[in-house]
Amino acid sequence: MSSQNGFLVVGSTGQLGTALCAQLGARAIPAARRPPSEATVVLDLEQLAAEPSLAAEIVAATKPAAVICAAGATDVERCETDQAWAAAANHLGPLALARAAKDVPFVFLSTDYVFDGEAGPYAEDEAPHALSVYGQTKLDGELAILREHPNALVLRTTTVYGPDPQKKNFLYTLTRVLNAGNTMRCPTDQLATPTHVDDLATATLKLLEQGATGLVHVAGPQFLSRYEFAQIACEILGLPTDTLQSLTTPELAQKAARPLLGGLKIDKLNALIGPGVMRAPEQGIRDWKATLA
Ligand SMILES: NC(=O)C1=CN([C@@H]2O[C@H](COP(=O)(O)OP(=O)(O)OC[C@H]3O[C@@H](n4cnc5c(N)ncnc54)[C@H](OP(=O)(O)O)[C@@H]3O)[C@@H](O)[C@H]2O)C=CC1
Ligand SMILES: Cc1cn([C@H]2C[C@H](O)[C@@H](COP(=O)(O)OP(=O)(O)O[C@H]3O[C@@H](C)C(=O)[C@@H](O)[C@H]3O)O2)c(=O)[nH]c1=O
């Protein structure tokens, strides 16, 4: 495999990776731990964490013009009990790749879960304080990559929704659960700024084109609770709401603590790429609906 000007998209089988590859077209060099075809580079972040020299081999073989690390341990609950996995996929693996790709721009995807949720939505200059293993390992990744890569761009996002090849984001879960007549329990006290995956991909590529570096928040423009997000989705999608139940986070009894007032401010993003790129949930859910068969 050899390519002079492509962007290495790590996590090409994921939600964001798929959107990035679609927007990049022939400029994408997809990379995944379980490649769906021979055209995809084999890249396992856990393996890179254990054997960092493999990262240099992949970079030498693919010669990317930039690297976007859109992969990671995204199962927030599993991270609590499998900390070695979380550290490898969210911190040490991406760091090995960043070290090997020092000569080209490197993008690392992070999260609002680096914050404790006492005062969201958050701007880039606010102090992080992670509550969960997922959030802490992402924060460890951010700090190490920003320290070691001269042109690193760290993008924090939150509650990504829209087309998802693995059909596991919140909207797919909500639709599946409610259509099956089961109860969907949604917290009224977990607030964030839901982000349409295509906008996240667009913003990522615009920032890369501009040569942006450092920390930038990329998220939707509206701050709302999971329950409100679910209500908007139900209305647009015509889902039954008799089994949509509101509750508080303690009642939900999740393993990993979530930031309650999470979410991200996007003034810096808007100043860099112009306003209007990030769509509001109502529009985003309508657009997602239109993609369903
Ligand atoms: N989804 C969200 O709400 C948010 C996401 N983020 C961050 O944005 C990024 C993209 O998220 P999203 O696309 O939604 O996530 P997904 O869960 O949809 O995709 C994650 C990707 O990471 C890959 N992956 C997991 N472990 C490894 C590994 N060891 N080596 C290589 N690849 C691996 C998965 O591969 P496979 O298909 O084989 O499982 C998949 O392609 C992630 O870094 C995530 O932490 C940040 C905030 C919110
Ligand atoms: C299963 C279930 C979840 N939920 C809620 C609780 C919680 O807020 C959320 C859990 O689903 P999610 O997987 O979307 O949420 P979670 O894994 O917490 O979402 C996070 O993903 C990671 C990758 C991030 O980085 C975060 O920014 C955030 O988007 O959904 C319900 O309300 N009812 C349910 O029945």
Side-chain angles (χ1 to χ4, degrees):
M1 166 92 39
S2 138
S3 163
Q4 287 300 324
N5 296 306
F7 289 9
L8 189 68
V9 179
V10 182
S12 63
T13 52
Q15 191 175 201
L16 175 60
T18 300
L20 284 167
C21 288
Q23 291 192 17
L24 283 166
R27 286 194 299 153
I29 309 171
R33 61 176 165 167
R34 288 192 289 258
S37 78
E38 278 185 11
T40 302
V41 175
V42 181
L43 191 160
D44 186 328
L45 291 170
E46 287 173 85
Q47 213 180 1
L48 299 194
E51 218 178 318
S53 62
L54 285 175
E57 287 175 26
I58 292 170
V59 171
T62 53
K63 300 182 183 61
V67 176
I68 306 173
C69 185
T74 54
D75 182 338
V76 177
E77 294 291 274
R78 182 180 159 198
C79 287
E80 289 299 303
T81 51
D82 201 345
Q83 302 192 5
W85 170 69
N90 290 338
H91 170 201
L92 300 171
L95 176 61
L97 194 56
R99 281 180 172 147
K102 269 194 178 157
D103 295 340
V104 295
F106 186 91
V107 184
F108 177 66
L109 266 294
S110 186
T111 172
D112 63 335
Y113 283 16
V114 300
F115 294 109
D116 59 20
E118 288 188 9
Y122 290 94
E124 288 82 355
D125 59 0
E126 294 185 71
H129 173 217
L131 301 177
S132 61
V133 172
Y134 170 74
Q136 185 60 50
T137 52
K138 280 286 185 182
L139 182 57
D140 293 342
E142 285 186 4
L143 293 171
I145 289 167
L146 283 170
R147 196 170 49 235
E148 296 213 18
H149 193 292
N151 291 313
L153 173 63
V154 171
L155 303 180
R156 292 187 185 136
T157 188
T158 178
T159 324
V160 179
Y161 69 95
D164 176 1
Q166 303 187 8
K167 298 187 175 14
K168 65 178 184 181
N169 74 29
F170 183 75
L171 291 183
Y172 288 90
T173 307
L174 179 77
T175 304
R176 252 191 322 266
V177 170
L178 293 182
N179 278 339
N182 295 323
T183 301
M184 183 74 179
R185 303 158 77 228
C186 293
T188 52
D189 56 353
Q190 282 181 34
L191 281 79
T193 46
T195 309
H196 193 287
V197 67
D198 291 340
D199 300 339
L200 175 59
T202 302
T204 301
L205 298 179
K206 279 182 182 284
L207 289 167
L208 254 180
E209 273 163 27
Q210 285 182 8
T213 58
L215 186 57
V216 182
H217 289 177
V218 182
Q222 213 169 309
F223 187 50
L224 75 181
S225 74
R226 280 285 173 160
Y227 183 65
E228 289 168 314
F229 188 48
Q231 279 183 313
I232 296 172
C234 285
E235 199 178 314
I236 293 169
L237 302 166
L239 296 173
T241 51
D242 45 326
T243 54
L244 176 64
Q245 187 190 328
S246 66
L247 79 179
T248 61
T249 293
E251 290 172 304
L252 196 55
Q254 293 167 300
K255 255 187 243 153
R258 264 59 175 192
L260 295 185
L261 300 180
L264 300 164
K265 289 185 180 154
I266 53 169
D267 305 79
K268 182 173 178 181
L269 177 74
N270 287 339
L272 285 166
I273 66 171
V277 173
M278 309 307 293
R279 73 196 92 170
E282 199 165 320
Q283 185 61 50
I285 296 167
R286 281 188 203 291
D287 295 341
W288 174 66
K289 183 183 177 189
T291 68
L292 301 175

